[in-house]
Amino acid sequence: GAGVSQSPSNKVTEKGKDVELRCDPISGHTALYWYRQSLGQGLEFLIYFQGNSAPDKSGLPSDRFSAERTGGSVSTLTIQRTQQEDSAVYLCASSPTGGGKYEQYFGPGTRLTVT
Amino acid sequence: AQTVTQSQPEMSVQEAETVTLSCTYDTSESDYYLFWYKQPPSRQMILVIRQEAYKQQNATENRFSVNFQKAAKSFSLKISDSQLGDAAMYFCAQTSSNDYKLSFGAGTTVTVRA
């Protein structure tokens, strides 16, 4: 079956612009995660969805970052007024449900470059 | 809090030889899970192997095996008969049964020499 897909694959934007990153999880997976991979910070957790609810937004670095999930499927990560430090690869993952025993399946990521 | 440490930024191995990647972790949880993920240049994170903390037997997946030392909080990955396709960045990760987010180490870049 289809894996996790993310779009766009690459995004270059100017400082101060807003960007939207999209994630399509594996069909039937109720849990969805966003991570950020940057040179300075490594891989860090951003937000977790169970269905359409986000019980843990603790990893979002600032109020410029927001995410939503609709229909228990597609998720969008929005970064407002982008800054150069937002440049990173944004990875999305999904699992059958939340909980450590379930494998997380990752998408190919979106590379964001803020100029 | 869970922390994962990978102390080897880079490792090089001759094709068909064996390489071992180190990982140590720290957690206060008693029920937790450990993983090794592979990330090739395509960026796609691929699960290589997983270990449940309550299992004493070391996990194996074909040419990949782990040495899980629970008391020492060590979780190393051994790649046997290395192949060119094994070249990638490898991440050690941890989560607990009542958690959901993965905590990752800094990664180890593996280069395979032909």
Side-chain angles (χ1 to χ4, degrees), chain A residues 4 8-10 33 35 37 42-45 48 55-56 58 89 91 98-111, chain B residues 32-35 37 39 41-48 50 52 89 91-92 95-106:
Chain A
V4 178
S9 178
N10 293 281
Y33 317 80
Y35 294 88
Q37 185 175 20
L43 267 158
E44 52 182 343
F45 165 81
Y48 157 65
D56 189 350
S58 63
V89 174
L91 294 168
K101 69 177 183 177
Y102 297 100
E103 177 183 347
Q104 294 186 22
Y105 297 81
F106 283 82
T110 294
R111 181 178 296 281
Chain B
Y32 56 91
Y33 301 84
L34 299 164
F35 308 85
Y37 278 90
Q39 187 180 41
S42 67
R43 296 199 307 249
Q44 184 91 43
M45 296 278 279
I46 302 163
L47 181 65
V48 174
R50 60 177 275 161
E52 290 88 345
M89 181 165 272
F91 291 94
C92 181
T95 189
S96 61
S97 62
N98 60 0
D99 201 350
Y100 34 80
K101 57 182 177 284
L102 293 167
S103 297
F104 289 91

Side-chain angles (χ1 to χ4, degrees), chain B residues 30-94:
Chain B
S30 59
D31 188 11
Y32 56 91
Y33 301 84
L34 299 164
F35 308 85
W36 279 98
Y37 278 90
K38 170 185 178 182
Q39 187 180 41
S42 67
R43 296 199 307 249
Q44 184 91 43
M45 296 278 279
I46 302 163
L47 181 65
V48 174
I49 200 165
R50 60 177 275 161
Q51 175 82 42
E52 290 88 345
Y54 62 85
K55 290 187 177 179
Q56 293 185 337
Q57 187 172 5
N58 289 324
T60 63
E61 285 290 340
N62 300 316
R63 298 182 295 105
F64 299 87
S65 61
V66 298
N67 183 3
F68 175 44
Q69 300 290 326
K70 192 170 183 178
K73 294 185 177 177
S74 171
F75 183 62
S76 60
L77 174 70
K78 184 169 78 172
I79 307 174
S80 303
D81 185 25
S82 297
Q83 301 177 0
L84 294 177
D86 295 334
M89 181 165 272
Y90 287 79
F91 291 94
C92 181
Q94 175 193 33

Side-chain angles (χ1 to χ4, degrees), chain A residues 72-87:
Chain A
S73 182
V74 172
S75 176
T76 302
L77 178 68
T78 301
I79 309 173
Q80 295 179 311
R81 305 181 303 281
T82 52
Q83 303 294 312
Q84 288 187 331
E85 61 262 29
D86 299 334
S87 295

Side-chain angles (χ1 to χ4, degrees), chain A residues 7-44:
Chain A
S7 61
S9 178
N10 293 281
K11 176 73 175 178
V12 180
T13 189
E14 292 180 354
K15 178 181 172 181
K17 295 287 180 70
D18 298 351
V19 295
E20 286 189 352
L21 312 180
R22 177 187 169 106
C23 172
D24 274 282
I26 292 173
S27 178
H29 281 193
T30 63
L32 185 147
Y33 317 80
W34 284 97
Y35 294 88
R36 180 168 72 172
Q37 185 175 20
S38 58
L39 283 176
Q41 302 297 321
L43 267 158
E44 52 182 343

